[in-house]
Amino acid sequence: TLDMVSNLILSTLSVPGLQVEGPSGPLQVQLGDTVLLPCFVRTPVPLEELEVEWRRSDSETLVLLFQDGEERGEESEFRNRAHFFTEEISRGNFSLFLTDVTPADAGTYRCSVHTEKESGDTTALISVVRLVVSGGARAVSAGLGEDVILSCSVDSSEQIEEVVWKTDQDIIVLQYKDGEVLPDSSHERYRGRAEFFPAEIHKGNFSLRLKEVRTEDKGDFMCEVHTSLLSASTTVLLEDLGLSLLHVLILLLCIIAALLALSLSSFMCLKMRG
């Protein structure tokens, strides 16, 4: 009898747990996107004895549960956002599909798989990254010879590696890369006329000042932003390249001078006839 008990204990201890496999590293996902958290076993498990739990490791919040052959979600923060691939569960795939990712979703998740005799788990780390590039007005105007500011504001959770202002012909206006502004990167058309605001760059302000606007400057300008993981952009249209205020004033003065000269000439003619 003692030998039987001993053999039973040894047998129980030697039963391997389920080999549950997950992702090979952190899962990078942008705000609002969808992410797949892998969790699977190589050998399918009978559904009638299967229970799968996805929980937040930090708070033990239940994200999603598969029990008694049904998917169940309880926490409101994940309701209608967390799902299994139901048709894949019988094949041993218990991956979690999470939609509309929010900043609060960042963290570690644990997938626990239980049967009547075995259990095992794996973890997945979600890292939420953010890159939002926005401009001001969709279109701006300037007079010929004037300066104009093209807005570009960057909100990023990652280090910004590169910012490039380009025209709609893919001509480089000005480039920022690896922490430095590169004036020599500018096309000859814009060299010496395009500049960032250096004191504003650390705030994510990559607005461009374009000096002495010319007729050929009219069109779309794109601010492209790149991190090691993400890219985003905004576009500004430079339009209405009319005469500048100074040019208008000069033109008015010329007209006034011409009218005065004409009036004076007429007056002198009349006086001579008289």
Side-chain angles (χ1 to χ4, degrees), residues 156-186:
S156 176
S157 60
E158 306 292 305
Q159 182 175 349
I160 297 170
E161 293 190 349
E162 183 182 26
V163 177
V164 184
W165 274 97
K166 295 181 178 180
T167 68
D168 48 8
Q169 287 90 32
D170 207 32
I171 295 173
I172 294 179
V173 181
L174 191 59
Q175 183 180 24
Y176 169 92
K177 188 172 183 179
D178 298 331
E180 294 184 7
V181 179
L182 306 177
D184 291 340
S185 66
S186 300

Side-chain angles (χ1 to χ4, degrees), residues 6-67:
S6 177
N7 289 335
L8 179 59
I9 294 174
L10 289 173
S11 176
T12 303
L13 291 176
S14 65
V15 173
L18 282 173
Q19 298 300 309
V20 182
E21 300 185 39
S24 58
L27 305 171
Q28 304 277 359
V29 57
Q30 192 170 6
L31 288 178
D33 280 357
T34 297
V35 63
L36 177 68
L37 285 68
C39 176
F40 59 93
V41 294
R42 298 292 181 180
T43 304
V45 177
L47 295 182
E48 57 271 15
E49 59 179 73
L50 175 67
E51 180 177 298
V52 180
E53 282 185 348
W54 273 100
R55 291 183 180 270
R56 290 288 302 257
S57 295
D58 51 358
S59 62
E60 288 300 315
T61 299
L62 180 62
V63 179
L64 197 59
L65 174 67
F66 182 86
Q67 190 178 55

Side-chain angles (χ1 to χ4, degrees), residues 1-268:
T1 303
L2 184 59
D3 290 339
M4 292 177 59
V5 172
S6 177
N7 289 335
L8 179 59
I9 294 174
L10 289 173
S11 176
T12 303
L13 291 176
S14 65
V15 173
L18 282 173
Q19 298 300 309
V20 182
E21 300 185 39
S24 58
L27 305 171
Q28 304 277 359
V29 57
Q30 192 170 6
L31 288 178
D33 280 357
T34 297
V35 63
L36 177 68
L37 285 68
C39 176
F40 59 93
V41 294
R42 298 292 181 180
T43 304
V45 177
L47 295 182
E48 57 271 15
E49 59 179 73
L50 175 67
E51 180 177 298
V52 180
E53 282 185 348
W54 273 100
R55 291 183 180 270
R56 290 288 302 257
S57 295
D58 51 358
S59 62
E60 288 300 315
T61 299
L62 180 62
V63 179
L64 197 59
L65 174 67
F66 182 86
Q67 190 178 55
D68 299 329
E70 295 182 354
E71 175 182 305
R72 302 177 183 180
E74 298 184 12
E75 294 297 328
S76 58
E77 62 184 294
F78 295 106
R79 190 166 299 148
N80 299 322
R81 294 199 302 127
H83 306 280
F84 288 111
F85 293 94
T86 309
E87 66 279 6
E88 290 291 318
I89 290 178
S90 61
R91 301 185 179 98
N93 184 356
F94 317 122
S95 300
L96 177 70
F97 191 64
L98 183 63
T99 63
D100 299 324
V101 171
T102 71
D105 292 334
T108 303
Y109 294 73
R110 186 175 65 255
C111 173
S112 300
V113 183
H114 306 276
T115 69
E116 293 179 355
K117 297 180 180 179
E118 299 176 295
S119 65
D121 59 32
T122 188
T123 58
L125 173 63
I126 293 180
S127 177
V128 179
V129 295
R130 180 183 70 257
L131 177 60
V132 180
V133 180
S134 56
R138 170 64 182 86
V140 296
S141 59
L144 293 174
E146 291 183 340
D147 294 355
V148 66
I149 296 175
L150 309 178
S151 297
C152 179
S153 179
V154 181
D155 178 18
S156 176
S157 60
E158 306 292 305
Q159 182 175 349
I160 297 170
E161 293 190 349
E162 183 182 26
V163 177
V164 184
W165 274 97
K166 295 181 178 180
T167 68
D168 48 8
Q169 287 90 32
D170 207 32
I171 295 173
I172 294 179
V173 181
L174 191 59
Q175 183 180 24
Y176 169 92
K177 188 172 183 179
D178 298 331
E180 294 184 7
V181 179
L182 306 177
D184 291 340
S185 66
S186 300
H187 186 274
E188 58 184 11
R189 183 194 301 179
Y190 299 102
R191 196 162 296 160
R193 295 199 299 127
E195 61 185 23
F196 289 115
F197 296 86
E200 295 291 314
I201 286 179
H202 75 281
K203 302 175 186 176
N205 184 356
F206 287 89
S207 297
L208 180 78
R209 187 206 302 274
L210 184 61
K211 299 186 288 187
E212 301 174 5
V213 169
R214 304 171 183 172
T215 303
E216 59 266 28
D217 293 334
K218 184 176 180 179
D220 284 325
F221 287 77
M222 181 179 294
C223 176
E224 295 182 352
V225 182
H226 306 276
T227 71
S228 60
L229 298 169
L230 303 170
S231 296
S233 65
T234 187
T235 301
V236 182
L237 173 63
L238 179 56
E239 61 179 5
D240 296 334
L241 301 180
L243 295 176
S244 68
L245 179 59
L246 178 59
H247 286 127
V248 172
L249 289 175
I250 292 174
L251 181 60
L252 286 175
L253 288 174
C254 290
I255 293 172
I256 292 171
L259 290 174
L260 287 175
L262 182 61
S263 299
L264 182 60
S265 176
S266 300
F267 175 75
M268 293 299 292

